[in-house]
Amino acid sequence: MNSHKNAQMSFKLFIGILLGVLGIMTFFPFLWMIFSSFKTNAEINQIVPSLFPKNATFDNFKELFIRLNFGTYLKNTLIITACSFVGLLLNAMAGYGFAKFDFKGKNSLFLMVLATMMIPGQVTMIPVYLLLNSVGLTNTLIGIVLPGLAGAFGIFLFRQFMHNISNEMLEAARLDGASEWYIFFKIILPVSRPILAVQGILTFIGGWNSFLWPLIIANDEKYYTLSVGLQLLQGQHGSNYALQMAGATFMVIPILIVFSIFQKYILQGFNVSGMK
């Protein structure tokens, strides 16, 4: 019996060490990028490079915001990300409607929503661009934000999660005089925190990394996002690796922070199927 337990402990220790090594190997490029952002370009190009900067400097970040217009890119990205969370709320409302209300054509409409998931986004970009151009919304932040406010994948996830929420609880709230708005914001959303966290981080990543659509819809640099600005940086300063590392670090760090804060709810989202 003891030998069996020892074997299990040894196996768990081996798996833990293996996962730790793989985790370090995975994170090492990010660590190199972060430390390199505080180096000078001459230090990065040394024949024998070092992991840690010998003389740490913030000059790369200062240049991004003072000379390379990253402040404008950041403002646009924050606006797009904030509006994406408005879209997250709309997706939750749609999912709640499909899950808990009966109306004519409900199933057919839901199937149509699901069918849009099979259409690649690149296919719809030209028709959407032509529609926005016909109403004068090209080269505007509204034109960048509007097509992404609702998404079939988000509606589907919310519908599947909210479908398992107890109907008796909602009926009891209605008998007590609660309005549908009160039920949605005070009952449905708190119960749906795990799926909200999962969708929230996906929404944040999508908004923060938005690249192709802003590049297509905007032809003025004042509407570019951080991802587009980083691509411009790579084209204009291809030999300045320190500056590129600073731009990439500024893109990655917020995502790591958001994930570290909401990881508990994200893990719950993969394990919780809703209230029965």
Side-chain angles (χ1 to χ4, degrees):
M1 189 69 177
N2 290 332
S3 61
H4 181 68
K5 289 183 177 180
N6 291 334
Q8 284 184 332
M9 291 180 62
S10 300
F11 180 73
K12 289 181 179 179
L13 180 62
F14 170 75
I15 293 297
I17 294 174
L18 179 62
L19 291 177
V21 172
L22 293 176
I24 293 173
M25 291 173 61
T26 303
F27 190 70
F28 184 78
F30 294 99
L31 200 62
W32 180 275
M33 175 189 69
I34 294 170
F35 285 130
S36 296
S37 66
F38 296 100
K39 298 177 182 179
T40 63
N41 199 49
E43 186 176 350
I44 291 179
N45 288 319
Q46 287 179 345
I47 296 177
V48 183
S50 59
L51 176 61
F52 299 101
K54 296 177 181 177
N55 297 300
T57 177
F58 287 92
D59 289 345
N60 297 318
F61 294 97
K62 291 179 182 178
E63 188 172 359
L64 288 177
F65 285 91
I66 294 175
R67 191 173 66 85
L68 297 176
N69 210 25
F70 261 62
T72 300
Y73 304 153
L74 175 61
K75 181 192 70 174
N76 295 336
T77 302
L78 290 176
I79 292 173
I80 293 171
T81 304
C83 291
S84 297
F85 279 94
V86 176
L88 175 66
L89 183 62
L90 295 177
N91 289 336
M93 289 180 177
Y96 175 56
F98 280 120
K100 294 302 180 183
F101 291 92
D102 291 322
F103 51 89
K104 188 176 180 180
K106 167 185 168 181
N107 293 330
S108 299
L109 183 59
F110 186 64
L111 287 175
M112 290 174 61
V113 171
L114 291 182
T116 62
M117 295 175 62
M118 297 184 289
I119 304 173
Q122 293 81 357
V123 173
T124 60
M125 281 184 178
I126 294 177
V128 172
Y129 178 88
L130 294 175
L131 285 172
L132 293 176
N133 188 52
S134 65
V135 294
L137 291 180
T138 54
N139 200 37
T140 63
L141 281 177
I142 297 177
I144 296 174
V145 168
L146 196 59
L149 286 182
F153 180 68
I155 294 173
F156 170 74
L157 284 185
F158 279 115
R159 187 264 181 191
Q160 294 302 104
F161 186 92
M162 294 175 179
H163 182 73
N164 293 320
I165 296 177
S166 171
N167 290 323
E168 289 77 10
M169 179 175 60
L170 303 183
E171 289 299 326
R174 292 189 180 102
L175 289 174
D176 288 339
S179 66
E180 294 299 332
W181 289 106
Y182 183 91
I183 291 173
F184 178 75
F185 284 103
K186 298 296 184 179
I187 299 177
I188 297 297
L189 288 186
V191 169
S192 304
R193 279 182 299 179
I195 198 67
L196 279 171
V198 173
Q199 279 297 100
I201 192 169
L202 292 177
T203 299
F204 176 81
I205 292 174
W208 188 260
N209 291 335
S210 54
F211 171 74
L212 186 57
W213 180 246
L215 185 63
I216 292 173
I217 202 72
N219 52 33
D220 194 328
E221 191 173 343
K222 68 180 181 180
Y223 296 119
Y224 284 170
T225 60
L226 283 172
S227 294
V228 178
L230 186 60
Q231 185 65 31
L232 290 176
L233 176 65
Q234 293 174 351
Q236 297 171 0
H237 302 271
S239 60
N240 193 333
Y241 301 111
L243 203 57
Q244 293 183 44
M245 291 299 102
T249 298
F250 191 77
M251 285 289 300
V252 170
I253 291 298
I255 296 176
L256 294 178
I257 293 174
V258 169
F259 181 80
S260 63
I261 293 174
F262 292 102
Q263 63 176 333
K264 179 179 71 173
Y265 297 106
I266 293 168
L267 294 176
Q268 288 178 5
F270 289 108
N271 295 306
V272 179
S273 60
M275 296 179 58
K276 295 289 185 181

